[in-house]
């Protein structure tokens, strides 16, 4: 069984920063790409960022590029999302996710991920 647990969300003002963490267990962490998604109320879950196994490559959605940084610490089985210059439009529940296929390199599609955390709320106010 794969377990993903997010933490680090909270309320920040526009322009502020947060770092999200995702603790993973139940599989060989370094053998899988890991991703971050977010979902605002009434909207579909949106891809945010992905990092390859074991951590050599990254890919971001355009709206966060240059502001967010995805990283991983394989020794700690932990995924991170550093979020800087936050905007109100970043307000959402943020989920970490792991693809079912260990061969996936930089998956960005919702349906490419089989395992999801419970999410952590990020609220950005003006």
């Amino acid at each position: 069984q794969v377990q993903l647990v997010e933490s680090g969300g909270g309320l920040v003002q526009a322009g502020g920063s947060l770092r999200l963490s995702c603790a993973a267990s139940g599989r060989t962490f370094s053998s899988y790409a890991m991703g971050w998604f977010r979902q605002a109320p009434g909207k579909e879950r949106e891809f945010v960022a992905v990092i390859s196994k074991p951590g050599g490559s990254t890919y971001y959605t355009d709206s966060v590029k240059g502001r967010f940084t995805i990283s991983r610490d394989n020794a700690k089985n932990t995924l991170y999302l550093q979020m800087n210059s936050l905007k109100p439009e970043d307000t959402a529940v943020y989920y970490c996710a792991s693809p079912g296929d260990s061969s996936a390199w930089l998956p960005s599609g919702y349906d490419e991920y089989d395992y999801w955390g419970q999410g952590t709320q990020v609220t950005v106010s003006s």
Side-chain angles (χ1 to χ4, degrees):
Q1 67 280 20
V2 177
Q3 185 177 14
L4 305 173
V5 181
E6 303 94 336
S7 61
L11 173 64
V12 297
Q13 294 204 40
S17 298
L18 284 173
R19 189 179 75 160
L20 306 183
S21 298
C22 172
S25 62
R27 58 163 51 176
T28 303
F29 180 73
S30 62
S31 295
Y32 294 85
M34 293 291 296
W36 287 99
F37 287 73
R38 65 187 181 186
Q39 188 167 24
K43 297 185 178 180
E44 294 184 352
R45 195 164 296 188
E46 174 192 23
F47 167 77
V48 176
V50 60
I51 185 166
S52 67
K53 63 176 185 180
S57 299
T58 59
Y59 174 66
Y60 302 87
T61 192
D62 286 344
S63 63
V64 309
K65 201 172 186 66
R67 299 188 297 121
F68 291 10
T69 302
I70 187 171
S71 62
R72 63 194 296 165
D73 187 336
N74 292 326
K76 297 181 179 179
N77 288 352
T78 302
L79 176 73
Y80 302 98
L81 185 67
Q82 178 66 47
M83 305 184 294
N84 298 327
S85 302
L86 283 162
K87 304 175 181 179
E89 64 203 60
D90 296 317
T91 295
V93 176
Y94 283 71
Y95 300 89
C96 66
S98 181
D101 187 353
S102 64
S103 67
W105 186 241
L106 289 173
S108 60
Y110 173 85
D111 59 0
E112 297 182 80
Y113 289 82
D114 285 358
Y115 305 104
W116 299 85
Q118 294 300 304
T120 185
Q121 177 71 49
V122 172
T123 303
V124 185
S125 65
S126 298

